[in-house]
Amino acid sequence: MNSEDQTASAPVGAAQQAGKKRLGSALQRGHARHSVIRAPDGRGLCVLSVPGIRCGGCVASIERALNGRADVISARANLTLKQVRLLLPDDGADPASIVDALAELGFDAMPAETSDPAVDPEGGRLLRATAVAGFGAMNIMLLSVGVWAGAQGETRNTLHLVSALIALPVIAYAGQPFFRSAMGALKARRLNMDVPITLGVLLATALSLFELFQGGHHVFFDAAVTLLFFLLGGRYLDHMMRQRARSAVSGLARLSPKGAMRRDADGGLQFTALQAIAPGDIIVVSPNEYVPVDLKITHGTTDLDRSLITGEAMPVVSGPGDLLEAGTLNLTGQIEAVAQRSADESFLAQMIRMQSAAEQGRGTYVRVADRAARLYAPVVHLAALATFLGWLAATGGDWQRSAFIAISVLIITCPCALGLAVPVAHVVAAGRMMGQGVLMKDGAALERLAEIDRAVFDKTGTLTTGRPKLASVPGDAPTLAAARALAAHSGHPAAWAIAQGGTTSGPAVTTVDEFPGLGVSGMVDGRAARLGRSDWVAGIASTAPASDDPTFAFDGGTPMAFPLTETLRPGAANAVQALMSEGLTLSMLSGDNQARVTRVASDLGISDAHHGMTPEGKIAFLQDQHDQGHRALMVGDGLNDAAALAAAHVSMAPASASDAGRMAADFIFLREGLDAVPMAFRLAQRTARVVRQNFALAILYNCIAIPLAVLGFVTPLIAALAMSISSVVVIGNSLRLNRTDKRQSRHAARTVQQQVPA
């Protein structure tokens, strides 16, 4: 037996000795151990599938238990995906003990990648249970009509007996989702929302059976079954909405092939698993195949379906030198390309991680709901007990009436509306944004976006397309060739424009360094040279540059300026006007020269424009806004914007942004147009309003219903109807977010591109 097996079997033996703990199998723990990957910061990252997560209380219990462990850096539970995302000290960490800890809490766990997202047994079980409860409720209610009409004596007893014969098997079957959840929580010595529901249903059934055998007037089979029917209906609707969110993630994952054809050193092709593809590998992609990782084409020309990236269905012609994102579909020709990143770091992997994490933020509203969920179970049990004791004392020992009223309190205080107030609204909003081509990092970002009073834009690549062109080509051929050779080593859009027309046989370039916000330097044919901002290049040139355009110069040489033109991003003018109409103050920060910044700002109607901004200057601007009490949205794309995106109150970046920009931003918009910015802002505002309305509805319901139940004015049947209606109202209110925003239609962005001097 190797050490790995010994490690796997040790907890099993302990569990068998303990005899009570629900530890995962050795296979599950082995999968969990091998599922730990290296996070970007060098720590270990593990995602566990936990199907037993049912409510905010489960999320709070898991996070509280795991975040208190020394071997866990952080743990986030996702109610929608039913997953727990663990950040561990290093990628060699063993999560087996964490799997065991989850089992002790009553949650079975397994690596997320070993679970089959296409299988949804829970939805089928809930639907069948709802149908059975509905059938039972309908028939028992018909029998209850006879009792309510005045049936007496044997007729009434017979109707009660038939109701019991229908209700008992219905409750035994349809109540299983709640009974199993409650039993698991009680075995783990904790409470969740299903415990009082189970207690209410079982007490109502037991009291009804007692009344039946005593020949009493009142039985509550109709209340117990109707309560289950409405609870199951609400839970099924909630499950289906979350299933839609999970489908968005699994749909993205299905765009990633299991492997690719890699060209070996001897020239042959060999199938290679996706995780084994490394940067620098030569990959061959045939027609009708998805691009496995981010690639740069070296040979071949083809048509690509880039609708995942741009939202546009029209094929795009691509050839040597073009960069392809993982997940795009190769339509026609065979291409050969060089892998730029591993599968875990590809554009598609980043999108999947962002969509998966859409619910993991802990904004103000989520924290309020979590605290309410933690307090709910003990508070409602104490309230029901106090009601029972109070009525027992008030009625001189009438325990049946006291229990009748206490059961009504248990049922009517079900916090489904409160528990659904935030997550349902966020899930609907995330789905709406996904449909509009915007990915959201977490729900807390949605709350922050609704709070902004200022929007700050980068210019190049954000308000403009980021693909400038040379207005005129300087005439000094040797210097021009040197500038193009150095520009080819930079990722800046201006450098790409300058590098166009260069040849692979140009001057040799060595010792290249890129300075965000300034430019690129290197040795060209053995001479030190710079390309970038004119004032930065002037530091090595023999004379001051004649203009603020991007400039190239050798050390001690004459500077050469490159005048550029650029194109406004589609919908930029309409997006700016839409944000202004919402009352936001707009600013533009750019490292470009004053003339170009002023021209673009004037064309867009932005009065507060700042030129020559370094990354440090952008952060200082945002910090100054924060100190003045403003909450700014930063929209940028470049490597030099990454720090500002992270420093802003909330941030957005286009899918074409640099890796650092995409990692730092809270939202990524996939389509070319800038109209995604006002759309996301308006949706965030609507979501905040819906969440506040949901909280108000839940609080109003409890303020009215609980006193009436405690005072004995509500029967268990009325309590079940009232509780269920409150949940349906909250879900229906959240679904209003799917309605088309009239203001969005009014401000629909035009896609006409406008070219301006750069």
Side-chain angles (χ1 to χ4, degrees):
M1 179 182 295
N2 57 36
S3 59
E4 203 171 85
D5 294 332
Q6 291 171 349
T7 306
S9 62
V12 176
Q16 289 170 343
Q17 291 176 6
K20 293 181 179 180
K21 295 179 180 179
R22 298 174 57 204
L23 299 178
S25 69
L27 181 61
Q28 289 174 347
R29 289 194 297 278
H31 284 158
R33 189 162 49 253
H34 290 290
S35 68
V36 179
I37 62 173
R38 185 179 179 83
D41 59 359
R43 292 171 172 168
L45 182 64
C46 178
V47 180
L48 298 176
S49 174
V50 187
I53 298 177
R54 298 181 184 279
C55 62
C58 298
V59 171
S61 297
I62 291 173
E63 292 186 349
R64 191 165 54 247
L66 298 188
N67 283 317
R69 293 172 61 93
D71 56 349
V72 174
I73 303 299
S74 69
R76 287 292 191 191
N78 188 311
L79 178 59
T80 296
L81 299 179
K82 298 186 184 299
Q83 290 180 348
V84 175
R85 187 180 180 87
L86 300 169
L87 192 60
L88 305 174
D90 57 69
D91 57 353
D94 186 353
S97 62
I98 300 171
V99 174
D100 293 343
L102 287 170
E104 291 177 6
L105 285 173
F107 298 100
D108 292 330
M110 67 188 75
E113 66 269 25
T114 62
S115 61
D116 185 357
V119 178
D120 179 28
E122 180 68 14
R125 281 195 290 266
L126 286 173
L127 184 59
R128 287 191 294 273
T130 304
V132 170
F135 175 81
M138 180 177 61
N139 285 279
I140 294 173
M141 291 295 284
L142 288 175
L143 295 171
S144 297
V145 169
V147 178
W148 299 339
Q152 298 292 327
E154 289 303 319
T155 303
R156 182 192 62 209
N157 293 339
T158 301
L159 292 174
H160 284 170
L161 178 61
V162 176
S163 296
L165 293 175
I166 297 173
L168 291 178
V170 169
I171 292 171
Y173 178 80
Q176 287 185 26
F178 306 100
F179 301 159
R180 284 198 302 267
S181 173
M183 287 297 294
L186 292 175
K187 284 182 178 178
R189 299 179 180 179
R190 62 183 179 84
L191 297 172
N192 63 12
M193 293 184 181
D194 290 335
V195 173
I197 292 172
T198 299
L199 192 59
V201 170
L202 293 182
L203 283 177
T205 305
L207 191 58
S208 299
L209 288 174
F210 179 82
E211 287 283 318
L212 173 67
F213 294 132
Q214 294 295 317
H217 292 268
H218 302 291
V219 295
F220 315 114
F221 296 118
D222 49 3
V225 176
T226 304
L227 173 66
L228 286 177
F229 172 66
F230 282 108
L231 283 174
L232 286 166
R235 187 159 291 188
Y236 179 71
L237 289 176
D238 179 59
H239 176 84
M240 290 305 295
M241 281 190 296
R242 296 180 188 281
Q243 180 65 22
R244 288 178 60 186
R246 287 192 290 272
S247 298
V249 176
S250 58
L252 288 175
R254 282 195 289 272
L255 299 180
S256 180
K258 299 296 183 186
M261 299 306 293
R262 183 176 64 183
R263 191 173 295 285
D264 292 334
D266 59 1
L269 291 176
Q270 183 175 2
F271 178 82
T272 304
L274 187 65
Q275 297 300 326
I277 299 175
D281 286 350
I282 304 298
I283 304 298
V284 174
V285 184
S286 299
N288 297 317
E289 291 182 358
Y290 284 102
V291 174
V293 298
D294 295 348
L295 300 173
K296 185 174 185 178
I297 300 177
T298 55
H299 296 90
T301 301
T302 186
D303 295 313
L304 293 170
D305 178 356
R306 299 186 74 241
S307 57
L308 170 69
I309 313 299
T310 64
E312 299 296 332
M314 290 297 293
V316 178
V317 179
S318 294
D322 288 340
L323 294 171
L324 309 183
E325 298 87 353
T328 52
L329 178 61
N330 181 21
L331 295 174
T332 52
Q334 187 179 73
I335 56 173
E336 191 166 296
V338 179
Q340 303 294 300
R341 301 178 185 84
S342 66
D344 290 334
E345 298 173 347
S346 70
F347 175 81
L348 183 61
Q350 290 179 27
M351 287 210 305
I352 292 173
R353 281 197 288 271
M354 285 194 69
Q355 189 67 12
S356 300
E359 197 188 304
Q360 292 182 356
R362 288 293 179 267
T364 303
Y365 297 133
V366 178
R367 288 195 296 271
V368 169
D370 284 351
R371 281 197 289 269
R374 284 199 296 271
L375 292 173
Y376 162 72
V379 168
V380 73
H381 286 122
L382 288 175
L385 179 61
T387 301
F388 176 76
L389 296 176
W391 275 94
L392 201 62
T395 57
D398 186 351
W399 69 270
Q400 289 173 276
R401 186 180 181 191
S402 303
F404 174 86
I405 296 172
I407 291 170
S408 299
V409 172
L410 273 177
I411 294 174
I412 210 164
T413 51
C414 175
C416 293
L418 191 60
L420 294 173
V422 181
V424 172
H426 281 185
V427 166
V428 175
R432 175 79 174 168
M433 281 202 178
M434 182 68 181
Q436 297 293 320
V438 179
L439 296 178
M440 180 173 67
K441 184 173 287 184
D442 60 48
L446 198 62
E447 289 186 17
R448 294 198 303 275
L449 183 59
E451 298 169 348
I452 63 170
D453 59 2
R454 176 179 285 271
V456 180
F457 286 89
D458 168 55
K459 180 180 72 71
T460 304
T462 304
L463 290 172
T464 65
T465 59
R467 294 188 290 273
K469 298 178 181 178
L470 273 179
S472 61
V473 179
D476 185 354
T479 306
L480 176 60
R484 281 175 163 165
L486 183 58
H489 293 268
S490 171
H492 195 281
W496 294 348
I498 295 171
Q500 293 296 316
T503 62
T504 56
S505 59
V509 179
T510 59
T511 324
V512 177
D513 286 313
E514 186 153 14
F515 301 90
L518 298 175
V520 59
S521 69
M523 301 295 290
V524 183
D525 277 344
R527 298 176 63 187
R530 286 183 180 179
L531 173 66
R533 282 175 49 162
S534 58
D535 55 345
W536 181 64
V537 174
I540 64 169
S542 60
T543 60
S547 72
D548 292 336
D549 293 321
T551 303
F552 171 84
F554 284 111
D555 189 6
T558 302
M560 173 184 284
F562 293 87
L564 301 173
T565 61
E566 55 188 336
T567 304
L568 291 179
R569 184 179 283 271
N574 282 9
V576 167
Q577 293 302 316
L579 291 173
M580 287 181 174
S581 69
E582 299 288 347
L584 298 181
T585 302
L586 267 59
S587 300
M588 185 168 71
L589 308 180
S590 176
D592 211 340
N593 64 47
Q594 182 175 7
R596 284 193 290 271
V597 170
T598 301
R599 275 196 295 269
V600 173
S602 176
D603 289 339
L604 293 174
I606 299 176
S607 58
D608 185 31
H610 302 259
H611 65 279
M613 297 290 284
T614 62
E616 294 78 9
K618 292 180 179 179
I619 294 175
F621 180 88
L622 292 169
Q623 184 61 48
D624 182 58
Q625 296 298 313
H626 178 267
D627 294 341
Q628 295 179 31
H630 295 296
R631 295 175 175 179
L633 162 69
M634 176 70 198
V635 188
D637 74 315
L639 179 65
N640 58 339
D641 295 323
L645 290 168
H649 185 67
V650 64
S651 54
M652 295 185 72
S656 58
S658 64
D659 288 351
R662 289 201 300 263
M663 292 294 292
D666 296 302
F667 296 87
I668 301 292
F669 55 95
L670 303 178
R671 299 177 181 175
E672 187 72 13
L674 205 59
D675 51 309
V677 178
M679 184 281 297
F681 173 59
R682 286 192 289 265
L683 184 57
Q685 286 187 312
R686 292 175 61 201
T687 304
R689 281 197 298 272
V690 165
V691 168
R692 289 194 295 270
Q693 291 166 0
N694 287 349
F695 272 127
L697 288 169
I699 292 171
L700 178 65
Y701 161 77
N702 283 287
C703 288
I704 296 174
I706 292 177
L708 292 176
V710 170
L711 294 174
F713 294 119
V714 178
T715 66
L717 178 60
I718 298 299
L721 292 173
M723 183 283 305
S724 303
I725 290 172
S726 70
S727 300
V728 171
V729 169
V730 166
I731 293 174
N733 192 47
S734 301
L735 289 176
R736 291 193 304 117
L737 291 170
N738 278 323
R739 292 166 53 185
T740 302
D741 186 351
K742 294 181 180 178
R743 287 178 298 173
Q744 182 180 341
S745 301
R746 192 165 56 246
H747 294 293
R750 292 176 299 178
T751 55
V752 178
Q753 294 191 354
Q754 181 182 356
Q755 195 169 70
V756 297

